[in-house]
Amino acid sequence: MTDRLARSARQQRARLRDVAEAAGTSTKTASRVINGDDRVAAETRARVEQAVLDLGYRPDPLARSLRRGLDETIGVVVDEVGDPFFASVIGEIERMAIDRDVSVIIASTRRREERERIVLDGLYQRRVAGLIIASISDNHAYLRHSSCPLVFIDRAAEDLAADAVVVDDRGGARMAVEHLLRHGHRRIAYIGDRLSTATARHRLLGYRDALDGAGIAADDALVAEVEPADGDAGVAAEELLRLPAPPTAIFSANTRCSLGTLPTLHRLRRTDLGFVSFGDFAMADTLTPAITIVDHSPEAIGRLAAERLFSRLAGDEPPVETIFAPLRIVARGSGELAPDRPRP
């Protein structure tokens, strides 16, 4: 009984500095180990973990929250929670947060700039520890005095020095169209979001860069700016195919547009068209033909964004950085069809 009481007393008295002293390291390093940061040498980690066991140290989430004035929660704000790309990003962020015993609040802007401010204001009122944001806005000056670390995903911040994890939208779109050009296509259509977002503008520029590089004059009749959530992509595909000189291939600038366009092409039995999607989606590799994609792993983007945010929350202060996630073409069949292929 006496041993149990003594042990209980040690548990009550143990503080982070006691753990650090017992392990022969700094409180910052001890905190990193306790919070699951893997950037600590194995030997040091083992000493800290043993000190935690010996002292019976238990972090007090409420005390940490009160000391920092923040909740043990991060916020993630995206366009649409149901979007396949963002769903995968969120899944990876949640996985990494769970490993650190951190909760995640997820909110969507519904692609409306005014809603973005409302959502962010609500998360600030919840006193979240940090935010990962896929912003729809072109004006972020109001976030300059943010009370917590910010990491932007998919689109870098405007008018604000903040970390971001993005892809080279312009370069990726150029890569996709050049792939179709190499397979003989000259009439290549573009189906993408409306140009209210930087992502859409950069991908359209990449499309035009590829055509210009091949000496092909851009034809505005082949460019469809749509609202994917309203089913406009499928309608746009039908209209493109009714042109006097229809396209022989389509570049779809995001997964939402691809999911709207492909059912229409299959319904019209026009799977002879070359097709490249910027972004993967469920069952893309099971269609006939399977869909060629520009792969920009949402899991990698989520992981890089979460690592950056948790690094900031651990007290690291690296320079603000825009991190580019890798891109590659995954050839599966639809992007390799020749323009003179017989219709099914």
Side-chain angles (χ1 to χ4, degrees):
M1 176 68 73
T2 302
D3 289 342
R4 287 201 298 271
L5 289 173
R7 183 179 175 188
S8 175
R10 287 198 306 271
Q11 288 177 357
Q12 292 173 10
R13 290 194 301 268
R15 298 291 185 268
L16 179 61
R17 62 176 176 270
D18 300 323
V19 173
E21 184 178 348
T25 188
S26 67
T27 55
K28 184 175 181 179
T29 299
S31 176
R32 283 182 172 177
V33 173
I34 291 165
N35 286 299
D37 193 323
D38 56 7
R39 293 169 301 166
V40 178
E43 181 181 348
T44 303
R45 177 181 298 279
R47 292 202 311 271
V48 172
E49 290 173 344
Q50 188 60 51
V52 167
L53 292 174
D54 291 342
L55 296 172
Y57 173 78
R58 294 292 183 272
D60 183 348
L62 178 58
R64 280 193 296 174
S65 178
L66 291 171
R67 283 196 300 272
R68 294 167 58 203
L70 299 169
D71 191 9
E72 291 299 309
T73 302
I74 63 170
V76 179
V77 180
V78 299
D79 294 3
E80 298 275 355
V81 174
D83 178 282
F85 171 77
F86 286 119
S88 296
V89 171
I90 291 167
E92 185 65 15
I93 294 170
E94 283 188 310
R95 184 189 68 78
M96 296 188 67
I98 288 169
D99 288 345
R100 292 165 171 78
D101 293 323
V102 172
S103 300
V104 181
I105 297 176
I106 301 161
S108 66
T109 62
R110 300 290 180 181
R111 300 168 64 80
R112 299 205 306 269
E113 188 171 346
E114 67 279 7
R115 178 170 167 77
E116 180 175 305
R117 288 203 179 202
I118 293 170
V119 166
L120 288 172
D121 284 344
L123 289 170
Y124 279 123
Q125 290 174 21
R126 293 286 298 269
R127 303 178 72 80
V128 293
L131 286 165
I132 296 175
I133 309 168
S135 178
I136 196 71
S137 175
D138 285 333
N139 179 11
H140 302 102
Y142 70 99
L143 293 173
R144 284 178 184 164
H145 302 293
S146 173
S147 58
C148 66
L150 306 173
V151 178
F152 286 77
I153 54 172
D154 198 42
R155 306 144 203 156
E158 301 285 342
D159 305 320
L160 179 69
D163 293 316
V165 179
V166 300
V167 297
D168 180 359
D169 292 301
R170 188 169 183 170
R174 184 176 64 248
M175 183 190 307
V177 177
E178 286 174 346
H179 186 79
L180 291 167
L181 289 166
R182 282 195 296 272
H183 286 83
H185 296 279
R186 293 295 178 268
R187 295 282 293 171
I188 301 171
Y190 171 97
I191 299 179
D193 272 341
R194 301 198 184 280
L195 301 183
S196 55
T197 66
T199 300
R201 294 193 294 272
H202 292 157
R203 292 181 186 181
L204 180 57
L205 286 172
Y207 162 83
R208 289 175 171 156
D209 287 345
L211 295 179
D212 185 61
I216 299 172
D219 183 349
D220 289 342
L222 293 177
V223 175
E225 300 168 25
V226 304
E227 180 51 63
D230 295 340
D232 293 353
V235 174
E238 288 199 62
E239 292 175 350
L240 287 166
L241 293 175
R242 285 199 293 266
L243 291 173
T248 63
I250 294 174
F251 166 54
S252 172
N254 60 50
T255 54
R256 294 185 300 273
C257 288
S258 299
L259 291 169
T261 301
L262 288 165
T264 296
L265 297 183
H266 279 259
R267 175 172 56 82
L268 297 176
R269 299 179 61 81
R270 291 305 312 271
T271 54
D272 59 305
L273 293 174
F275 193 95
V276 176
S277 170
F278 201 122
D280 205 358
F281 53 92
M283 301 185 72
D285 57 347
T286 67
L287 296 175
T288 303
I291 304 304
T292 294
I293 63 165
V294 178
D295 182 33
H296 61 315
S297 167
E299 291 82 8
I301 291 171
R303 183 178 67 256
L304 289 167
E307 286 174 349
R308 194 68 172 181
L309 183 61
F310 289 128
S311 172
R312 295 273 183 202
L313 293 175
D316 292 346
E317 296 183 358
V320 168
E321 183 179 3
T322 296
I323 302 167
F324 284 88
L327 289 172
R328 64 183 180 124
I329 290 281
V330 179
R332 293 173 174 159
S334 68
E336 295 70 59
L337 299 175
D340 55 356
R341 181 175 181 265
R343 292 176 58 176

